[in-house]
Amino acid sequence: MLERIEEKPPFKNSLVKGLKQTYREFCANTSIHGFQYFGQHRPRKEIIFWLLVFVITIYFCSSIIVRIYVKWHESPVIVTFSDKPTPIWNIPFPRVTICPEAKRTMNKTVDDNYLQLMKKLKTFLKQDGKFNENFNESQLEESLTLKQICLSDVIELDDIAQPLRPAINYIDILNRMQPSGSKYFLSCSWFGETLFSCEELFTKVYTEEGICYAYNGLKADDMYRDEVLKSQLRNEPKASSPLEWTLQKGYPAHGELHTYPARLLSSGYTSGLEVFLVSYPDEVDSTCNWAMPGFKISLNSPDEVPILAKHFVPIAGDKKMLIAIKPKMITTSVDVAAYDARKRRCFMNEERHLRFYKIYSQNNCERECLTNITYSQCGCVHFAMPRFQGTAVCHEDKMDCMIKSEKQLLLKHFLDNLQGEEQSFEKSIDNCNCLPACTSLEYETEITEANFDFVNILRDNDLYEDETVWAKFSILSIYFKESEFITSRRSELYGVTELLANFGGVVGLFMGISILSVVEIVYHFTLRLWQKISSMAEAN
């Protein structure tokens, strides 16, 4: 009976002996550091010592590997500087938007300013909408139009339940109030060539600032989708040449000098855009946005629509301003495009569809988002926002709603950023989802300003005899500071190859393990073990 209990099955006996022999053989021959001590007959203290060393080594090795993996998983993309400079002729000259501070032609001694018009409008509302000799229908239309572009609430109006003129066309009223751009542009110079008519360069555009003039922006047909009402956003002829430039691919290789959008071949003051501007102090209504005689200047990429309320440079009368441009461009490697947008934190142009714009950029996306939120909250949009046929334009009864919509957008963006990147990204899908574009172009500026008393120059040369100074003159020069610039590039922090190399380097440093070490383990405990068990079974 006892002999049966102590008797072991032949296979189990062979397996145990085979494992013991294979383990000793593996410990004696493996390249893994420290394992040879476990297969030898040594004092127990030495075995415990090496066992502790082995456990500590595994702990530190695993900790470093986990850190490398977490870094690769959470931040797989890194932005570095390019290894070679980019010439300025590979990128377009910026879109230049110039907005006169004078929103209309007026005579301060005769015409009412914005404050006076708002007072008369308030009286008009109290009198149940009855015109008189002090306030006619033309003044009413101008008051309602100015209220769209003059954000300063100099007079609080009572709540207006419905629009006073539902069929008013703000674009027509703006064109009626403000003269043509030739009144503000004395001459222009582009790439050393003087043009006495700036209408060849600048296009009239309608913005939240009223009428502005833009140079080197993409045509409306190339910027907006076909369904958008382009005539309500700018006044321009149709594009005469097809758009062959994209921010991702650049200009075509055939190398034409005159391109669309325009570019420069050299840097410096003489190679750029120079505009001779004229402002009229008597026509500037200081109660509308607290304006001063002069202009607002905005620079941005040609494929973007400027947000003038956020980014602009003021130029006053009797000033000469030099703006030296330093491009700031970020490109993205092909490998990064394979990552999910939430990991690389940017959108490729083809993966983020905009309703109004053909080209994705963060500015275009934010402007579209504001338009969508305004329409959702108010049932209408500002006249300068992109819209489709049949979309209502907000009138004076929706002004408070439009202001609240913009504040709501800012608050929502702030709260989303407080909740961590993952939750913010998930929520942004339902809201704006305006990550930066993976390929973007911005223009940093260095501004130099000096006095420019053009009237005294004319008087010194007997070309101006009038004692009254009825206009102020300014010169604006925009040029590239240097002929080359360093771009930034999004690339993989760790690709699969680099990740494996890092893992292998850490494991090799701490334990001496390589791919062959893994093969040794598999070999000894499969083929070698099976061979020993088979030999023992045949011997029995």
Side-chain angles (χ1 to χ4, degrees):
M1 186 84 176
L2 292 175
E3 291 179 358
R4 291 183 180 177
I5 294 175
E6 293 176 359
E7 184 179 346
K8 295 182 179 179
F11 178 77
K12 186 175 182 180
N13 189 31
S14 301
L15 177 61
V16 172
K17 289 182 179 179
L19 282 172
K20 289 181 178 179
Q21 292 180 9
T22 304
Y23 172 73
R24 292 193 183 97
E25 184 178 335
F26 171 75
C27 291
N29 296 288
T30 183
S31 60
I32 301 176
H33 298 168
F35 249 85
Q36 63 269 25
Y37 300 109
F38 299 133
Q40 300 173 358
H41 294 286
R42 289 179 174 270
R44 183 174 296 177
K45 292 181 179 180
E46 290 188 19
I47 295 176
I48 293 175
F49 169 76
W50 283 109
L51 184 62
L52 288 174
V53 170
F54 190 73
V55 170
I56 292 172
T57 302
I58 290 179
Y59 170 76
F60 282 107
C61 180
S62 302
S63 299
I64 294 177
I65 288 176
V66 169
R67 290 182 183 179
I68 293 174
Y69 176 78
V70 170
K71 188 175 183 179
W72 171 78
H73 184 265
E74 293 183 353
S75 303
V77 177
I78 187 173
V79 179
T80 58
F81 291 112
S82 176
D83 55 352
K84 60 180 180 179
T86 301
I88 58 173
W89 56 78
N90 281 357
I91 62 170
F93 192 74
R95 166 178 168 154
V96 181
T97 305
I98 301 177
C99 300
E101 290 284 16
K103 306 305 179 186
R104 57 189 177 126
T105 301
M106 63 172 291
N107 188 334
K108 288 184 177 180
T109 60
V110 179
D111 298 325
D112 295 322
N113 60 27
Y114 178 59
L115 173 60
Q116 294 167 334
L117 284 175
M118 289 298 104
K119 288 181 178 179
K120 290 184 176 182
L121 178 58
K122 189 171 184 178
T123 304
F124 173 77
L125 293 174
K126 290 181 178 180
Q127 296 176 351
D128 298 328
K130 294 181 180 179
F131 294 111
N132 53 49
E133 59 183 8
N134 294 324
F135 193 72
N136 54 37
E137 186 168 359
S138 177
Q139 288 176 308
L140 172 62
E141 292 177 343
E142 291 185 6
S143 301
L144 298 179
T145 303
L146 287 173
K147 191 165 179 59
Q148 295 276 338
I149 59 179
C150 299
L151 301 179
S152 51
D153 292 331
V154 291
I155 292 292
E156 290 290 340
L157 298 177
D158 299 330
D159 291 337
I160 303 175
Q162 57 185 4
L164 301 176
R165 287 292 182 273
I168 189 174
N169 189 317
Y170 296 110
I171 302 300
D172 292 341
I173 306 301
L174 283 173
N175 287 324
R176 188 181 75 192
M177 289 195 303
Q178 196 174 75
S180 65
S182 58
K183 183 176 180 178
Y184 302 106
F185 296 90
L186 193 62
S187 67
C188 294
S189 176
W190 169 247
F191 203 27
E193 181 181 353
T194 301
L195 304 171
F196 291 99
S197 176
C198 296
E199 293 180 356
E200 299 179 25
L201 298 180
F202 285 87
T203 299
K204 181 186 290 187
V205 295
Y206 306 106
T207 70
E208 63 273 13
E209 292 285 332
I211 293 179
C212 299
Y213 302 90
Y215 169 65
N216 207 39
L218 295 188
K219 301 293 184 182
D221 290 336
D222 298 323
M223 175 78 73
Y224 299 99
R225 299 201 179 275
D226 297 336
E227 300 82 5
V228 175
L229 291 175
K230 305 176 184 66
S231 61
Q232 299 297 306
L233 298 172
R234 59 180 69 181
N235 182 12
E236 66 180 7
K238 292 201 172 187
S240 57
S241 57
L243 178 64
E244 297 181 329
W245 169 85
T246 63
L247 189 56
Q248 293 75 21
K249 298 180 181 179
Y251 288 97
H254 47 71
E256 293 184 2
L257 176 61
H258 300 286
T259 57
Y260 163 61
R263 58 179 172 177
L264 289 175
L265 304 183
S266 62
S267 61
Y269 171 76
T270 57
S271 301
L273 175 68
E274 184 173 83
V275 186
F276 206 147
L277 299 168
V278 187
S279 57
Y280 305 89
D282 288 340
E283 294 184 2
V284 177
D285 187 353
S286 59
T287 61
C288 176
N289 295 338
W290 314 115
M292 299 297 291
F295 301 85
K296 288 182 178 179
I297 313 298
S298 176
L299 304 179
N300 58 281
S301 178
D303 59 356
E304 291 185 344
V305 176
I307 303 178
L308 293 164
K310 294 173 63 176
H311 307 289
F312 68 89
V313 177
I315 176 171
D318 294 339
K319 295 291 183 180
K320 183 174 183 178
M321 179 178 286
L322 307 180
I323 301 180
I325 304 170
K326 296 189 297 181
K328 179 183 176 183
M329 188 173 184
I330 299 180
T331 60
T332 301
S333 65
V334 179
D335 296 334
V336 172
Y339 287 94
D340 187 75
R342 75 184 69 197
K343 286 189 176 181
R344 56 177 138 87
R345 304 301 301 170
C346 67
F347 278 126
M348 308 297 288
N349 187 55
E350 63 276 3
E351 69 181 351
R352 178 68 171 91
H353 178 83
L354 298 178
R355 295 175 60 212
F356 301 116
Y357 300 97
K358 292 182 177 179
I359 301 173
Y360 179 83
S361 72
Q362 192 169 31
N363 271 355
N364 292 348
C365 180
E366 289 177 353
R367 187 167 180 81
E368 178 170 303
C369 181
L370 178 59
T371 302
N372 293 336
I373 289 181
T374 303
Y375 184 76
S376 174
Q377 298 292 327
C378 309
C380 56
V381 298
H382 192 274
F383 75 87
M385 290 179 176
R387 63 186 186 275
F388 300 131
Q389 183 73 35
T391 303
V393 175
C394 292
H395 297 292
E396 61 278 1
D397 59 321
K398 297 291 185 180
M399 293 299 297
D400 289 340
C401 181
M402 286 195 294
I403 295 174
K404 289 179 181 177
S405 298
E406 186 171 2
K407 291 180 179 179
Q408 180 182 353
L409 176 62
L410 295 175
L411 179 61
K412 188 179 297 184
H413 180 67
F414 170 72
L415 293 177
D416 286 348
N417 286 337
L418 291 179
Q419 296 178 357
E421 294 186 359
E422 290 294 329
Q423 293 183 7
S424 176
F425 187 89
E426 294 294 341
K427 286 194 171 185
S428 67
I429 294 176
D430 299 326
N431 298 328
C432 291
N433 200 14
C434 290
L435 294 177
C438 288
T439 302
S440 61
L441 176 61
E442 297 178 359
Y443 299 90
E444 296 181 345
T445 58
E446 289 185 3
I447 299 174
T448 305
E449 189 177 71
N451 292 325
F452 177 66
D453 196 344
F454 185 64
V455 173
N456 281 337
I457 294 176
L458 294 177
R459 283 174 177 167
D460 293 342
N461 291 275
D462 298 327
L463 297 175
Y464 189 89
E465 299 179 355
D466 195 349
E467 295 182 0
T468 304
V469 179
W470 49 270
K472 291 189 174 183
F473 301 87
S474 307
I475 291 182
L476 173 66
S477 297
I478 305 173
Y479 56 92
F480 283 111
K481 184 179 180 180
E482 299 174 344
S483 297
E484 295 179 327
F485 64 98
I486 301 296
T487 61
S488 299
R489 183 176 177 84
R490 284 188 184 89
S491 55
E492 285 184 313
L493 177 61
Y494 296 122
V496 177
T497 304
E498 291 80 7
L499 189 65
L500 290 176
N502 275 291
F503 286 173
V506 171
V507 174
L509 174 65
F510 280 90
M511 303 177 66
I513 296 178
S514 65
I515 296 295
L516 289 179
S517 301
V518 177
V519 174
E520 283 181 351
I521 296 173
V522 175
Y523 163 72
H524 277 91
F525 291 97
T526 55
L527 294 178
R528 189 65 176 165
L529 177 60
W530 178 256
Q531 184 180 3
K532 287 183 177 295
I533 294 173
S534 300
S535 300
M536 291 178 185
E538 291 177 0
N540 291 334

